[in-house]
Amino acid sequence: MQESHSIFKKWLPGKLVAPIFMLALFPHLMLLTIFNMNSTFTASFLDLEVDDLQFMFSMAYATIVCGLFIHVRFFEFFNIRSYLLFMTMMNIIVLFAMTLTINTQVLIILRMIQGPLMLFEGCILLPVIMSSIKSENARIIGYSVLYGFMMTGDKFATSIVKFAIENYNHNMIVYTVIIFHVLSLILYAVTLNHNRIFAKKPLFQLNLGGIFLMLISLISGSFFLIYGKKLYWFESPQIVFAFATCLIFSALFIVHQKTTKRPLFHFEILRSQRVIIGIVLFFFFYLLRSSLSNIYQVMGQIWKWPWDYILKIQYFNVAGTIVGVMIAYIMLIKKVDYKHIFIIAFTLLAS
């Protein structure tokens, strides 16, 4: 990034860019992890059903996936400063609205809105941080830090929640996230100028039809999977309707992508052997990771262990994750073959 076109104000030393914007990234990561902890524990203090909470998570993830398709266009339309200020202020408004209600339906809607806002805020910061790291391993460093926090952040969030519930109430958690967002707003205002990274492009031809079809199929599919067992699967008209809706809108999305001039998703990529292998590895990785959640559920619900004790056990997993990220970073910069890295990783997970 040339100095004349730098998005940072002149007084800001280049060495401080990465640390400052890592601090600004913290409230965004808090949003990703603050509700992504043990479902039973979170539902208990929010006075929600566990299934409702999981559906709330799914709504956020569905809108995040759909938001990916328009993020690049927003990135090219707004300058970085305006984009970050606007998305952060919107996050503050949504967070504050979440403190004013305990209505499940309203919380689900707010969580849906919050999904893409989280994405837009974080996806801008990550490339800014990476571009400021003057190292050939900048991408590895950035993703190692981000991934490490995403894998461990829910444990820290649970600790914060536990402290707040014991001493205040659950709204204090949201207020804490809001305070961090306000601090980020100040950082953006004083460190960023109005320069642009890319030439401005108008917002048009966003293929909103394809995004709508994908969103409906993801929401209906989530409803089917989450509430199916509770409603006795196809004995419930709601489950039948959700399943049929998912199939119909998924088919419409595929047809739409095959016929539109500007598809969101190119299905030809599925012909790649590397993509298929990646999908399979991703599936098995999260299958193994989800088993940890099941173990914690057994500890709390079957063995009746107290949550503060379970949380202490989880921090052993945090320590292992941090060590694993460091080892993975070393292997990547040493250019160890990916095949060997995966073999070592999955062997450790399965052991």
Side-chain angles (χ1 to χ4, degrees):
M1 190 182 299
Q2 298 179 358
E3 185 67 28
S4 59
H5 297 290
S6 173
I7 62 173
F8 309 110
K9 293 187 176 180
K10 294 181 179 180
W11 65 265
L12 181 64
K15 293 181 179 180
L16 293 181
V17 171
I20 287 176
F21 282 86
M22 283 182 181
L23 289 175
L25 185 63
F26 182 70
H28 160 72
L29 295 175
M30 288 184 73
L31 284 178
L32 287 176
T33 59
I34 201 69
F35 294 115
N36 189 27
M37 57 189 80
N38 180 272
S39 298
T40 304
F41 179 59
T42 312
S44 65
F45 72 78
L46 287 179
D47 195 25
L48 296 172
E49 294 288 337
V50 174
D51 291 337
D52 293 336
L53 190 66
Q54 290 179 339
F55 188 60
M56 191 186 304
F57 297 159
S58 299
M59 295 303 96
Y61 299 147
T63 51
I64 286 174
V65 170
C66 295
L68 284 169
F69 295 111
I70 58 177
H71 160 67
V72 176
R73 303 300 296 274
F74 283 168
F75 194 15
E76 295 174 341
F77 181 76
F78 298 102
N79 65 61
I80 301 298
R81 186 177 190 270
S82 300
Y83 193 9
L84 284 172
L85 289 174
F86 177 74
M87 292 304 170
T88 305
M89 286 188 288
M90 289 298 296
N91 262 317
I92 291 173
I93 292 172
V94 173
L95 283 165
F96 182 72
M98 293 177 72
T99 68
L100 302 178
T101 180
I102 58 173
N103 183 281
T104 303
Q105 286 71 35
V106 175
L107 287 173
I108 287 175
I109 293 173
L110 291 173
R111 192 64 172 153
M112 285 181 63
I113 298 172
Q114 196 177 64
L117 294 179
M118 288 190 296
L119 169 75
F120 298 150
E121 183 183 347
C123 283
I124 284 291
L125 286 173
L126 196 59
V128 170
I129 293 172
M130 288 183 178
S131 66
S132 67
I133 300 175
K134 305 305 179 184
S135 169
E136 61 179 354
N137 298 316
R139 185 180 296 272
I140 299 175
I141 294 171
Y143 282 117
S144 295
V145 173
L146 177 66
Y147 183 78
F149 191 92
M150 290 181 66
M151 292 294 99
T152 60
D154 57 331
K155 314 303 185 298
F156 298 111
T158 304
S159 298
I160 297 173
V161 168
K162 181 178 180 294
F163 175 81
I165 297 305
E166 291 176 348
N167 297 276
Y168 303 99
N169 55 54
H170 71 270
N171 276 346
M172 184 58 64
I173 300 300
V174 184
Y175 294 144
T176 302
V177 181
I178 290 175
I179 291 172
F180 276 104
H181 272 79
V182 172
L183 293 176
S184 293
L185 271 178
I186 297 173
L187 288 176
Y188 302 148
V190 300
T191 60
L192 295 172
N193 58 38
H194 294 280
N195 288 343
R196 309 181 63 88
I197 295 179
F198 305 107
K200 184 176 180 178
K201 295 183 180 180
L203 286 177
F204 65 94
Q205 298 174 337
L206 290 176
N207 201 343
L208 295 178
I211 294 174
F212 173 77
L213 293 173
M214 172 178 279
L215 181 62
I216 297 301
S217 63
L218 290 175
I219 291 175
S220 55
S222 299
F223 186 93
F224 169 76
L225 294 173
I226 292 171
Y227 291 102
K229 182 178 180 181
K230 179 179 179 180
L231 299 177
Y232 300 102
W233 297 106
F234 293 107
E235 294 181 16
S236 167
Q238 291 176 283
I239 295 300
V240 173
F241 178 77
F243 182 70
T245 302
C246 180
L247 290 181
I248 292 171
F249 277 83
S250 296
L252 289 174
F253 175 76
I254 294 173
V255 172
H256 181 272
Q257 297 306 290
K258 289 289 188 180
T259 56
T260 186
K261 294 181 179 179
R262 298 175 179 83
L264 299 172
F265 185 84
H266 295 273
F267 289 94
E268 290 76 13
I269 197 174
L270 296 177
R271 297 175 183 173
S272 170
Q273 185 179 12
R274 295 181 65 181
V275 171
I276 298 299
I277 293 174
I279 292 174
V280 173
L281 289 175
F282 183 83
F283 171 78
F284 279 108
F285 170 72
Y286 271 92
L287 187 66
L288 290 170
R289 264 192 54 80
S290 64
S291 64
L292 286 175
S293 298
N294 293 332
I295 293 172
Y296 297 141
Q297 293 279 358
V298 170
M299 290 178 180
Q301 297 181 20
I302 307 300
W303 298 345
K304 306 298 181 183
W305 289 4
W307 279 112
D308 55 348
Y309 183 68
I310 297 175
L311 184 58
K312 292 177 181 178
I313 294 176
Q314 290 177 336
Y315 274 105
F316 285 100
N317 181 244
V318 170
T321 300
I322 294 173
V323 172
V325 168
M326 294 173 63
I327 294 173
Y329 171 77
I330 294 172
M331 288 193 292
L332 287 171
I333 62 175
K334 295 292 185 182
K335 301 188 184 302
V336 177
D337 191 283
Y338 288 130
K339 179 174 66 176
H340 297 149
I341 295 176
F342 282 128
I343 290 173
I344 294 171
F346 278 97
T347 302
L348 291 174
L349 274 173
S351 61

